[in-house]
Amino acid sequence: MYYYKIPDSPYVGSETRFQLKKPFDLFLIKDGEFIAIEAKYCKGNARFPFKNVKEHQIDALLDIEEHGCKAYIMINFRGEGVIATKAIRVKNFLELVKVSKYSSMTLEETRYMIDIKWCGRGIWGIDVLFDGTQKSL
């Protein structure tokens, strides 16, 4: 397996006229298959708002998926979060969401976030990495 994290653009200051936008954070090649991933984290909260992924990132990942490759939004829930009156202890939970599924979820007017209560259950057709147990990419 080959893995590469695309470096962030350096901040040059307020005089910068143009800065390239990264299409996604990292990619890997596994058994000849290209997989693109946009990595996000949610610290101290059990909900991940859709607005945390930029439109150009979703577009780039959808383009990759349309070319027959895999593309994901990877959400790392860290720390402890509170949902309503129930405390949910989350130390380090990682969820991989297919970008096509993520994109369709963002279009639903009744949804504005991913709640950790829905993760790890396949409700959204989501592939999961959980507590070191891996389901295949």
Side-chain angles (χ1 to χ4, degrees):
M1 178 168 53
Y2 176 80
Y3 164 90
Y4 183 75
K5 182 188 181 310
I6 300 169
D8 294 328
S9 297
Y11 178 72
V12 183
S14 61
E15 298 298 317
T16 304
R17 293 176 188 228
F18 178 75
Q19 194 168 13
L20 292 174
K21 294 180 179 180
K22 274 193 333 185
F24 46 86
D25 285 325
L26 57 106
F27 68 88
L28 58 106
I29 300 171
K30 180 183 176 196
D31 300 326
E33 185 173 33
F34 182 86
I35 303 167
I37 298 173
E38 173 59 29
K40 298 293 185 187
Y41 76 93
C42 189
K43 187 174 182 180
N45 195 343
R47 295 180 175 147
F48 180 80
F50 290 142
K51 67 181 181 178
N52 288 5
V53 181
K54 306 296 182 219
E55 187 175 344
H56 75 275
Q57 295 168 323
I58 293 172
D59 291 343
L61 291 168
L62 285 171
D63 284 346
I64 287 167
E65 205 173 65
E66 287 172 11
H67 283 86
C69 298
K70 292 182 179 179
Y72 296 94
I73 308 292
M74 179 176 69
I75 306 168
N76 180 214
F77 293 93
R78 300 180 193 171
E80 293 186 8
V82 177
I83 300 176
T85 58
K86 294 193 297 188
I88 294 183
R89 293 182 182 267
V90 178
K91 290 187 179 176
N92 197 4
F93 183 91
L94 185 65
E95 188 80 13
L96 286 175
V97 183
K98 290 181 180 177
V99 71
S100 54
K101 190 64 181 176
Y102 186 91
S103 179
S104 67
M105 284 190 290
T106 63
L107 298 175
E108 294 178 26
E109 292 183 15
T110 58
R111 303 259 182 250
Y112 62 93
M113 52 83 187
I114 293 178
D115 194 311
I116 197 167
K117 292 186 295 188
W118 305 326
C119 296
R121 298 182 189 170
I123 293 172
W124 305 109
I126 296 171
D127 291 327
V128 181
L129 293 170
F130 178 69
D131 287 344
T133 304
Q134 179 176 354
K135 291 185 181 178
S136 85
L137 288 174

